[in-house]
Amino acid sequence: MTLPVKQLSDPVVRAFVTALNAHDEPGLLDVLTPDVTMSDDGSDRDVRPWLDREVFASRGHMDVVSEGGDGRALVADYRNDTWGSMRTKWAFTVEGGKISRFETGQA
C-alpha cells in the first residue's frame, strides 16, 4: 500500500516527489537550494549528474510507502529504467522552503 503524494506532510518534500514522478526537471530543480548536496547509499554524489542519470534519463518514480520525521523521512519503492524497482529510504533537510540536502539509499 502506498501513500498518495498529495497526502505527504511536508509541502517541500511533496513538491520534490511530485516533480520527480512527473519528470518535471525545472519543477524538481526549483525545490532545491543552489548549493544542494546529496548522498546515495552513504556516498556523497554530485547532485545534477545524479539526477540526470537516476531520475530524468531513466524515468525515475517513487511510490511512497511511509513517512516519518515530520514528513522529511520517507520509505519508498523507487524504480527507474536502469535499476528496476527497489525499496529505498529518503531523508530531506529543508531550509528556507527548499531542500538543502537529501540522502537516499536502499532500505
Side-chain angles (χ1 to χ4, degrees):
M1 180 112 173
T2 60
L3 296 173
V5 175
K6 65 183 178 183
Q7 291 182 5
L8 296 178
S9 301
D10 187 280
V12 178
V13 172
R14 185 172 54 244
F16 178 94
V17 175
T18 298
L20 186 149
N21 287 349
H23 308 113
D24 175 5
E25 187 171 346
L28 184 57
L29 296 176
D30 189 53
V31 301
L32 305 176
T33 63
D35 59 347
V36 64
T37 61
M38 61 96 46
S39 71
D40 183 0
D41 280 328
S43 297
D44 281 353
R45 306 283 186 207
D46 290 330
V47 174
R48 187 56 195 249
W50 187 90
L51 287 172
D52 288 343
R53 183 181 59 254
E54 301 293 338
V55 176
F56 301 121
S58 61
R59 301 187 46 78
H61 186 89
M62 294 173 71
D63 289 319
V64 178
V65 176
S66 65
E67 71 170 352
D70 294 326
R72 295 184 179 172
L74 305 178
V75 173
D77 290 329
Y78 186 80
R79 67 181 180 275
N80 67 25
D81 293 344
T82 302
W83 303 109
S85 183
M86 67 187 81
R87 180 69 47 105
T88 56
K89 58 185 176 186
W90 297 75
F92 298 91
T93 302
V94 177
E95 297 176 359
K98 294 198 179 246
I99 295 168
S100 62
R101 180 167 178 83
F102 66 94
E103 299 175 3
T104 187
Q106 293 187 49

